[in-house]
Amino acid sequence: MEAAREMSEAQELALRIEESCARILQEVELFEQFTDNDDQKLKGAVDLKGLKSMIIVEQNRIKKLSQADPSHEGHISKLKASNHTFEDTVWCVAKTCIGLLSVDSRRKPEIICSNGREWVKVSAVTEKQIMWEMV
């Protein structure tokens, strides 16, 4: 009974992460299309390759994990350790910026905006991390 519940939980978590990655990737690609079609001066002006590649890597990692045996020890922990939450946070912050030049979740600062005058470092802290720090 416990194994079936863990399997279901792992499958649901993997599906949520896959859907989140797909949504982020779709939004990034739509943004690229908008900037490429809006004005020839903007074509290729916003560098999103780093963010896109990290999302694709995460998608592939989650697909591989979702095909693995969910009863294997640590399976759910590996899914919960996904970087998709951080990448989603970086993208959400980037969407609020003006004069966006670069978004790359592998680099610090992750976001360069205001036509290069502002550099943004994103810090994403989970509830679990806060609890550990409070103890």
Side-chain angles (χ1 to χ4, degrees):
M1 182 77 158
E2 182 68 24
R5 187 185 64 76
E6 283 184 16
M7 184 180 299
S8 175
E9 182 182 349
Q11 290 170 336
E12 288 176 20
L13 182 57
L15 182 61
R16 279 197 317 267
I17 295 170
E18 285 181 30
E19 288 172 350
S20 177
C21 288
R23 177 191 51 80
I24 298 166
L25 194 57
Q26 181 182 25
E27 287 180 9
V28 169
E29 289 171 348
L30 282 170
F31 182 78
E32 281 182 320
Q33 289 173 5
F34 174 77
T35 56
D36 285 351
N37 293 333
D38 187 47
D39 188 349
Q40 287 300 316
K41 290 185 286 184
L42 293 176
K43 191 172 184 117
V46 182
D47 181 14
L48 300 170
K49 291 182 292 246
L51 180 64
K52 281 177 65 173
S53 69
M54 291 304 293
I55 295 167
I56 291 167
V57 165
E58 194 63 23
Q59 274 184 319
N60 293 337
R61 191 178 81 77
I62 297 302
K63 282 179 187 172
K64 192 179 287 186
L65 278 172
S66 67
Q67 295 168 354
D69 181 9
S71 64
H72 193 281
E73 188 176 327
H75 185 73
I76 291 179
S77 296
K78 288 179 182 178
L79 287 169
K80 288 180 178 178
S82 169
N83 287 332
H84 88 284
T85 305
F86 179 71
E87 291 154 1
D88 188 28
T89 303
V90 169
W91 178 238
C92 286
V93 171
K95 291 188 293 186
T96 67
C97 295
I98 296 172
L100 196 61
L101 292 180
S102 176
V103 181
D104 190 340
S105 60
R106 301 171 299 179
R107 183 194 60 225
K108 293 176 181 43
E110 289 85 11
I111 302 167
I112 300 175
C113 56
S114 298
N115 298 317
R117 292 187 305 263
E118 186 176 353
W119 292 18
V120 180
K121 164 73 178 96
V122 177
S123 179
V125 181
T126 66
E127 181 181 340
K128 190 173 187 176
Q129 289 170 320
I130 292 171
M131 294 302 288
W132 275 107
E133 287 183 19
M134 291 176 70
V135 172

